[in-house]
Amino acid sequence: MVAYLRELKAATLAALIVVGLCLHAKEARAGASETLVVAGGCFWCVEADFEKVKGVVEAESGFAGGTVENPTYKQVTRGGTGHLEAVRITFDPTLVTRDQLLYLFFRSVDPTDDGGQFCDRGESYETGIFVTDAAENRLARTVKEDAANALGQTIVTPILQLDRFWPADAYHQDYYKSNDIVLTRFGPRTKASAYKLYRDACGRDARVRELWGNEAPFAGQS
């Protein structure tokens, strides 16, 4: 009986150690996540695209690049704040790297357009890559140059210093997959349905396919 209890105690201790290691590994993985902030026109579309990428933990719609603190959607789209519609991509660098995400980003937008994106015009819909340090800046410039060579055209997407990312309100998060009902010009629709109608009408995928051909990673996947 004593030997049995001793073995049971040892087994229990081993199990607790394994659980502890698993929890520690989980925390380590969570702590190792990184972020990338990009602007690619309508943030609903950028969010929808990058949440399909293996290794992306979350994509959050918001604003970056301007001077107004805690901006609202109406303020930004009206213009004058300096903010772009942006998306903060949280990713696991062991599954997808920053340069891979930047590669995908350039091929998911029209980086030759300096007046907006697709049907959305104005400064808030312009493209941009936001960086926080010199290493990120160098990487972004390298990927931008590679994209320009691949496209054979001048890329106007700027590389900007990230001061702060401001999340948009809850209404805009996960818009592309929400079943909430909204009123559209087509009548009441779920947000997911309204998003699909908007994306198709805006010509995003058609223009990206025209530019990038088979290299366009998300066109037709909306």
PDB file of all heavy atoms in Angstrom, residues 63 68-78 81 83 166-169 172:
ATOM      1  N   PHE A  63      -7.811  53.035 -36.843  1.00  0.00           N
ATOM      2  CA  PHE A  63      -7.281  54.200 -37.530  1.00  0.00           C
ATOM      3  C   PHE A  63      -5.847  54.457 -37.075  1.00  0.00           C
ATOM      4  O   PHE A  63      -5.486  54.199 -35.933  1.00  0.00           O
ATOM      5  CB  PHE A  63      -8.134  55.436 -37.229  1.00  0.00           C
ATOM      6  CG  PHE A  63      -9.613  55.189 -37.353  1.00  0.00           C
ATOM      7  CD1 PHE A  63     -10.407  55.018 -36.227  1.00  0.00           C
ATOM      8  CD2 PHE A  63     -10.214  55.085 -38.598  1.00  0.00           C
ATOM      9  CE1 PHE A  63     -11.771  54.782 -36.326  1.00  0.00           C
ATOM     10  CE2 PHE A  63     -11.577  54.844 -38.718  1.00  0.00           C
ATOM     11  CZ  PHE A  63     -12.353  54.684 -37.582  1.00  0.00           C
ATOM     12  N   VAL A  68      -5.649  63.442 -34.631  1.00  0.00           N
ATOM     13  CA  VAL A  68      -6.812  63.514 -33.742  1.00  0.00           C
ATOM     14  C   VAL A  68      -6.817  62.311 -32.805  1.00  0.00           C
ATOM     15  O   VAL A  68      -6.696  61.166 -33.257  1.00  0.00           O
ATOM     16  CB  VAL A  68      -8.119  63.564 -34.558  1.00  0.00           C
ATOM     17  CG1 VAL A  68      -9.333  63.521 -33.630  1.00  0.00           C
ATOM     18  CG2 VAL A  68      -8.144  64.809 -35.428  1.00  0.00           C
ATOM     19  N   GLU A  69      -6.960  62.563 -31.512  1.00  0.00           N
ATOM     20  CA  GLU A  69      -7.014  61.468 -30.548  1.00  0.00           C
ATOM     21  C   GLU A  69      -8.409  60.851 -30.510  1.00  0.00           C
ATOM     22  O   GLU A  69      -9.411  61.549 -30.613  1.00  0.00           O
ATOM     23  CB  GLU A  69      -6.628  61.966 -29.152  1.00  0.00           C
ATOM     24  CG  GLU A  69      -5.172  62.392 -29.041  1.00  0.00           C
ATOM     25  CD  GLU A  69      -4.748  62.599 -27.597  1.00  0.00           C
ATOM     26  OE1 GLU A  69      -5.597  62.423 -26.699  1.00  0.00           O
ATOM     27  OE2 GLU A  69      -3.573  62.916 -27.377  1.00  0.00           O
ATOM     28  N   ASN A  70      -8.426  59.518 -30.366  1.00  0.00           N
ATOM     29  CA  ASN A  70      -9.671  58.761 -30.268  1.00  0.00           C
ATOM     30  C   ASN A  70     -10.668  59.168 -31.358  1.00  0.00           C
ATOM     31  O   ASN A  70     -11.808  59.537 -31.069  1.00  0.00           O
ATOM     32  CB  ASN A  70     -10.296  58.966 -28.881  1.00  0.00           C
ATOM     33  CG  ASN A  70     -11.308  57.882 -28.560  1.00  0.00           C
ATOM     34  OD1 ASN A  70     -11.242  56.770 -29.074  1.00  0.00           O
ATOM     35  ND2 ASN A  70     -12.262  58.216 -27.714  1.00  0.00           N
ATOM     36  N   PRO A  71     -10.263  59.093 -32.627  1.00  0.00           N
ATOM     37  CA  PRO A  71     -11.132  59.556 -33.713  1.00  0.00           C
ATOM     38  C   PRO A  71     -12.326  58.635 -33.916  1.00  0.00           C
ATOM     39  O   PRO A  71     -12.266  57.437 -33.633  1.00  0.00           O
ATOM     40  CB  PRO A  71     -10.209  59.516 -34.929  1.00  0.00           C
ATOM     41  CG  PRO A  71      -9.259  58.396 -34.618  1.00  0.00           C
ATOM     42  CD  PRO A  71      -9.019  58.492 -33.137  1.00  0.00           C
ATOM     43  N   THR A  72     -13.397  59.205 -34.429  1.00  0.00           N
ATOM     44  CA  THR A  72     -14.570  58.416 -34.789  1.00  0.00           C
ATOM     45  C   THR A  72     -14.521  58.103 -36.281  1.00  0.00           C
ATOM     46  O   THR A  72     -13.798  58.748 -37.053  1.00  0.00           O
ATOM     47  CB  THR A  72     -15.865  59.174 -34.489  1.00  0.00           C
ATOM     48  OG1 THR A  72     -15.943  60.324 -35.361  1.00  0.00           O
ATOM     49  CG2 THR A  72     -15.910  59.621 -33.035  1.00  0.00           C
ATOM     50  N   TYR A  73     -15.308  57.126 -36.678  1.00  0.00           N
ATOM     51  CA  TYR A  73     -15.380  56.737 -38.089  1.00  0.00           C
ATOM     52  C   TYR A  73     -15.825  57.920 -38.951  1.00  0.00           C
ATOM     53  O   TYR A  73     -15.246  58.182 -40.011  1.00  0.00           O
ATOM     54  CB  TYR A  73     -16.360  55.573 -38.232  1.00  0.00           C
ATOM     55  CG  TYR A  73     -16.554  55.091 -39.650  1.00  0.00           C
ATOM     56  CD1 TYR A  73     -15.591  54.314 -40.280  1.00  0.00           C
ATOM     57  CD2 TYR A  73     -17.713  55.411 -40.363  1.00  0.00           C
ATOM     58  CE1 TYR A  73     -15.757  53.861 -41.580  1.00  0.00           C
ATOM     59  CE2 TYR A  73     -17.894  54.969 -41.660  1.00  0.00           C
ATOM     60  CZ  TYR A  73     -16.921  54.199 -42.275  1.00  0.00           C
ATOM     61  OH  TYR A  73     -17.095  53.755 -43.563  1.00  0.00           O
ATOM     62  N   LYS A  74     -16.833  58.667 -38.473  1.00  0.00           N
ATOM     63  CA  LYS A  74     -17.330  59.809 -39.239  1.00  0.00           C
ATOM     64  C   LYS A  74     -16.265  60.879 -39.391  1.00  0.00           C
ATOM     65  O   LYS A  74     -16.115  61.480 -40.457  1.00  0.00           O
ATOM     66  CB  LYS A  74     -18.576  60.388 -38.569  1.00  0.00           C
ATOM     67  CG  LYS A  74     -19.826  59.539 -38.729  1.00  0.00           C
ATOM     68  CD  LYS A  74     -21.046  60.227 -38.151  1.00  0.00           C
ATOM     69  CE  LYS A  74     -22.301  59.386 -38.366  1.00  0.00           C
ATOM     70  NZ  LYS A  74     -23.509  60.058 -37.790  1.00  0.00           N
ATOM     71  N   GLN A  75     -15.515  61.129 -38.330  1.00  0.00           N
ATOM     72  CA  GLN A  75     -14.444  62.124 -38.418  1.00  0.00           C
ATOM     73  C   GLN A  75     -13.401  61.731 -39.463  1.00  0.00           C
ATOM     74  O   GLN A  75     -12.981  62.549 -40.276  1.00  0.00           O
ATOM     75  CB  GLN A  75     -13.753  62.271 -37.055  1.00  0.00           C
ATOM     76  CG  GLN A  75     -14.523  63.060 -36.021  1.00  0.00           C
ATOM     77  CD  GLN A  75     -13.783  63.089 -34.688  1.00  0.00           C
ATOM     78  OE1 GLN A  75     -13.367  62.045 -34.175  1.00  0.00           O
ATOM     79  NE2 GLN A  75     -13.609  64.271 -34.130  1.00  0.00           N
ATOM     80  N   VAL A  76     -13.003  60.487 -39.427  1.00  0.00           N
ATOM     81  CA  VAL A  76     -11.936  60.026 -40.316  1.00  0.00           C
ATOM     82  C   VAL A  76     -12.383  60.033 -41.769  1.00  0.00           C
ATOM     83  O   VAL A  76     -11.663  60.519 -42.650  1.00  0.00           O
ATOM     84  CB  VAL A  76     -11.444  58.623 -39.900  1.00  0.00           C
ATOM     85  CG1 VAL A  76     -10.471  58.071 -40.923  1.00  0.00           C
ATOM     86  CG2 VAL A  76     -10.787  58.682 -38.526  1.00  0.00           C
ATOM     87  N   THR A  77     -13.558  59.492 -42.039  1.00  0.00           N
ATOM     88  CA  THR A  77     -14.021  59.418 -43.424  1.00  0.00           C
ATOM     89  C   THR A  77     -14.414  60.790 -43.974  1.00  0.00           C
ATOM     90  O   THR A  77     -14.408  60.991 -45.192  1.00  0.00           O
ATOM     91  CB  THR A  77     -15.209  58.455 -43.564  1.00  0.00           C
ATOM     92  OG1 THR A  77     -16.251  58.838 -42.642  1.00  0.00           O
ATOM     93  CG2 THR A  77     -14.783  57.024 -43.256  1.00  0.00           C
ATOM     94  N   ARG A  78     -14.732  61.728 -43.094  1.00  0.00           N
ATOM     95  CA  ARG A  78     -15.021  63.095 -43.549  1.00  0.00           C
ATOM     96  C   ARG A  78     -13.753  63.795 -44.022  1.00  0.00           C
ATOM     97  O   ARG A  78     -13.778  64.686 -44.857  1.00  0.00           O
ATOM     98  CB  ARG A  78     -15.686  63.883 -42.422  1.00  0.00           C
ATOM     99  CG  ARG A  78     -16.182  65.260 -42.833  1.00  0.00           C
ATOM    100  CD  ARG A  78     -17.115  65.860 -41.805  1.00  0.00           C
ATOM    101  NE  ARG A  78     -16.476  65.931 -40.498  1.00  0.00           N
ATOM    102  CZ  ARG A  78     -16.973  65.409 -39.396  1.00  0.00           C
ATOM    103  NH1 ARG A  78     -18.113  64.730 -39.443  1.00  0.00           N
ATOM    104  NH2 ARG A  78     -16.350  65.539 -38.243  1.00  0.00           N
ATOM    105  N   THR A  81      -8.445  64.601 -40.563  1.00  0.00           N
ATOM    106  CA  THR A  81      -7.809  64.099 -39.334  1.00  0.00           C
ATOM    107  C   THR A  81      -6.398  63.580 -39.603  1.00  0.00           C
ATOM    108  O   THR A  81      -5.608  63.418 -38.679  1.00  0.00           O
ATOM    109  CB  THR A  81      -8.619  62.949 -38.711  1.00  0.00           C
ATOM    110  OG1 THR A  81      -8.580  61.810 -39.586  1.00  0.00           O
ATOM    111  CG2 THR A  81     -10.069  63.349 -38.466  1.00  0.00           C
ATOM    112  N   HIS A  83      -5.837  60.606 -40.431  1.00  0.00           N
ATOM    113  CA  HIS A  83      -5.871  59.165 -40.186  1.00  0.00           C
ATOM    114  C   HIS A  83      -6.241  58.386 -41.445  1.00  0.00           C
ATOM    115  O   HIS A  83      -6.985  58.872 -42.304  1.00  0.00           O
ATOM    116  CB  HIS A  83      -6.899  58.826 -39.099  1.00  0.00           C
ATOM    117  CG  HIS A  83      -6.468  59.187 -37.721  1.00  0.00           C
ATOM    118  ND1 HIS A  83      -5.432  58.549 -37.076  1.00  0.00           N
ATOM    119  CD2 HIS A  83      -6.939  60.124 -36.849  1.00  0.00           C
ATOM    120  CE1 HIS A  83      -5.287  59.063 -35.865  1.00  0.00           C
ATOM    121  NE2 HIS A  83      -6.182  60.019 -35.705  1.00  0.00           N
ATOM    122  N   TRP A 166      -5.654  53.409 -33.164  1.00  0.00           N
ATOM    123  CA  TRP A 166      -6.920  53.637 -32.466  1.00  0.00           C
ATOM    124  C   TRP A 166      -7.963  52.639 -32.966  1.00  0.00           C
ATOM    125  O   TRP A 166      -8.372  52.715 -34.133  1.00  0.00           O
ATOM    126  CB  TRP A 166      -7.430  55.060 -32.726  1.00  0.00           C
ATOM    127  CG  TRP A 166      -6.512  56.141 -32.271  1.00  0.00           C
ATOM    128  CD1 TRP A 166      -5.548  56.771 -33.001  1.00  0.00           C
ATOM    129  CD2 TRP A 166      -6.475  56.728 -30.972  1.00  0.00           C
ATOM    130  NE1 TRP A 166      -4.914  57.717 -32.241  1.00  0.00           N
ATOM    131  CE2 TRP A 166      -5.456  57.718 -30.988  1.00  0.00           C
ATOM    132  CE3 TRP A 166      -7.197  56.534 -29.790  1.00  0.00           C
ATOM    133  CZ2 TRP A 166      -5.144  58.497 -29.877  1.00  0.00           C
ATOM    134  CZ3 TRP A 166      -6.893  57.310 -28.683  1.00  0.00           C
ATOM    135  CH2 TRP A 166      -5.880  58.269 -28.729  1.00  0.00           C
ATOM    136  N   PRO A 167      -8.399  51.682 -32.157  1.00  0.00           N
ATOM    137  CA  PRO A 167      -9.423  50.728 -32.608  1.00  0.00           C
ATOM    138  C   PRO A 167     -10.732  51.434 -32.943  1.00  0.00           C
ATOM    139  O   PRO A 167     -11.132  52.393 -32.267  1.00  0.00           O
ATOM    140  CB  PRO A 167      -9.607  49.801 -31.397  1.00  0.00           C
ATOM    141  CG  PRO A 167      -8.343  49.954 -30.604  1.00  0.00           C
ATOM    142  CD  PRO A 167      -7.923  51.381 -30.787  1.00  0.00           C
ATOM    143  N   ALA A 168     -11.386  50.983 -34.010  1.00  0.00           N
ATOM    144  CA  ALA A 168     -12.718  51.483 -34.339  1.00  0.00           C
ATOM    145  C   ALA A 168     -13.718  50.900 -33.346  1.00  0.00           C
ATOM    146  O   ALA A 168     -13.420  49.943 -32.628  1.00  0.00           O
ATOM    147  CB  ALA A 168     -13.084  51.083 -35.769  1.00  0.00           C
ATOM    148  N   ASP A 169     -14.910  51.485 -33.327  1.00  0.00           N
ATOM    149  CA  ASP A 169     -15.910  50.988 -32.377  1.00  0.00           C
ATOM    150  C   ASP A 169     -16.392  49.597 -32.775  1.00  0.00           C
ATOM    151  O   ASP A 169     -16.124  49.113 -33.881  1.00  0.00           O
ATOM    152  CB  ASP A 169     -17.085  51.967 -32.276  1.00  0.00           C
ATOM    153  CG  ASP A 169     -17.799  52.155 -33.599  1.00  0.00           C
ATOM    154  OD1 ASP A 169     -18.570  51.266 -33.992  1.00  0.00           O
ATOM    155  OD2 ASP A 169     -17.588  53.198 -34.248  1.00  0.00           O
ATOM    156  N   HIS A 172     -17.814  48.135 -36.226  1.00  0.00           N
ATOM    157  CA  HIS A 172     -16.993  47.849 -37.395  1.00  0.00           C
ATOM    158  C   HIS A 172     -16.135  46.589 -37.261  1.00  0.00           C
ATOM    159  O   HIS A 172     -15.554  46.142 -38.247  1.00  0.00           O
ATOM    160  CB  HIS A 172     -16.082  49.044 -37.689  1.00  0.00           C
ATOM    161  CG  HIS A 172     -16.821  50.267 -38.104  1.00  0.00           C
ATOM    162  ND1 HIS A 172     -17.405  50.411 -39.342  1.00  0.00           N
ATOM    163  CD2 HIS A 172     -17.112  51.412 -37.426  1.00  0.00           C
ATOM    164  CE1 HIS A 172     -18.007  51.577 -39.425  1.00  0.00           C
ATOM    165  NE2 HIS A 172     -17.841  52.211 -38.284  1.00  0.00           N
TER     166      HIS A 172
END
